[in-house]
Amino acid sequence: MKLTLKIWRQDGANTKGKMVDYPIDGIEGDMSFLEMLDVLNEELVAKGEEPVEFDHDCREGICGSCSLQINGEPHGPDRLITTCQLHMRSFNDGDTITIEPFRANAFPVIKDLIVDRTAFDRIQQAGGYVSVNTSGNTIDANSIPVNKHNADDSFNAATCIGCGACVAACKNASAMLFTSAKVSQYALLPQGRVEAVDRVQAMVRQMDEEGFGNCSNTGACELECPKGISLENIARMNREYLSANAKG
């Protein structure tokens, strides 16, 4: 398969970037998208050129590191997969593929296709946890009954891998889907209700401080999410937030 890759190249957050064209040949349909980029980088290194920097880790759709904007779509044309799970059989011989980093003010470019997503870490650190009693008088979590539907919804929310596709898909670069998933996974469980008020207020406040936009209500975030995180989580977080502020 012969392809033309139009790749964003940028040395850092404070430098101007540009699109650079790279012709590539010998790509097989069974290759993953990242393997295709590996082939390109091997060719660039062999020619003494700077390889394209891109983020990755597990290459199994678990870690969320491999976040690329491919032909204008986060993680590419397929649904419910990450970039590392995208295979080249999704493209045709002679195609031109545009590859960019996720675009958001809160996700500054580190280099080329790598962005800094530590804003998500700070949102999580603001309240995405349950304080644990380690005094010696702990209670077995399994002794607390949990409604089956709540448990299922909590588990589904917890599958969010923090890749940032929701932000990249949103025209306002909103992090509402990510933040609401982290709020929901605790709000739905009795263990999370103790700190529910402080949690939602702190996480929403941190989300705003990071510079993410407001929800656009278009639903692009759920559509592009590789884990299918539901918009219902945003509605739940809004209810939690209104209730928390009403309580003062």
Side-chain angles (χ1 to χ4, degrees):
M1 191 187 305
K2 289 184 178 181
L3 301 167
T4 299
L5 307 178
K6 301 177 76 69
I7 302 179
W8 182 260
R9 303 303 305 266
Q10 184 175 345
D11 285 337
N14 299 319
T15 59
K16 188 175 181 179
K18 63 179 181 179
M19 300 298 294
V20 179
D21 291 358
Y22 296 100
I24 191 169
D25 196 359
I27 300 302
E28 299 177 4
D30 289 336
M31 287 182 176
S32 73
F33 199 85
L34 297 189
E35 287 173 331
M36 180 272 294
L37 290 178
D38 289 337
V39 171
L40 172 66
N41 278 343
E42 288 175 2
E43 294 179 358
L44 293 177
V45 170
K47 292 187 291 186
E49 298 181 24
E50 187 80 11
V52 176
E53 299 282 349
F54 62 94
D55 212 353
H56 65 93
D57 190 3
C58 73
R59 298 201 178 202
E60 295 180 346
I62 299 171
C63 69
S65 297
C66 58
S67 301
L68 301 178
Q69 192 89 346
I70 303 168
N71 287 343
E73 295 187 78
H75 297 300
D78 289 354
R79 293 290 173 261
L80 299 176
I81 62 169
T82 55
T83 300
C84 63
Q85 296 172 301
L86 177 66
H87 285 81
M88 298 311 297
R89 54 179 169 266
S90 298
F91 303 92
N92 299 313
D93 185 41
D95 278 357
T96 296
I97 305 175
T98 302
I99 310 170
E100 301 173 87
F102 281 178
R103 303 290 190 181
N105 288 336
F107 289 166
V109 173
I110 296 175
K111 187 173 183 180
D112 293 341
L113 303 175
I114 302 177
V115 298
D116 182 355
R117 286 172 294 171
T118 53
F120 273 7
D121 295 335
R122 290 187 289 273
I123 293 173
Q124 184 82 4
Q125 291 163 2
Y129 53 83
V130 172
S131 298
V132 178
N133 176 13
T134 58
S135 65
N137 298 316
T138 55
I139 300 174
D140 185 356
N142 292 327
S143 67
I144 304 174
V146 180
N147 178 278
K148 179 64 166 57
H149 294 296
N150 288 349
D152 288 345
D153 289 344
S154 175
F155 183 85
N156 290 336
T159 61
C160 169
I161 56 177
C163 67
C166 51
V167 175
C170 180
K171 60 184 180 181
N172 292 341
S174 172
M176 289 282 281
L177 192 67
F178 166 79
T179 307
S180 66
K182 300 306 177 184
V183 167
S184 291
Q185 74 179 81
Y186 299 110
L188 287 161
L189 300 178
Q191 295 89 339
R193 294 310 307 169
V194 177
E195 299 166 297
V197 170
D198 292 339
R199 177 184 300 109
V200 69
Q201 289 178 326
M203 294 183 75
V204 170
R205 181 169 56 250
Q206 188 64 42
M207 176 184 69
D208 292 339
E209 290 176 0
E210 295 295 341
F212 292 105
N214 292 324
C215 178
S216 66
N217 294 312
T218 61
C221 53
E222 180 180 354
L223 179 67
E224 300 292 354
C225 175
K227 299 302 177 182
I229 301 299
S230 173
L231 290 172
E232 292 178 1
N233 291 296
I234 296 179
R236 182 178 297 107
M237 184 178 74
N238 286 337
R239 292 193 299 270
E240 290 283 325
Y241 187 70
L242 289 172
S243 176
N245 287 334
K247 294 176 180 177

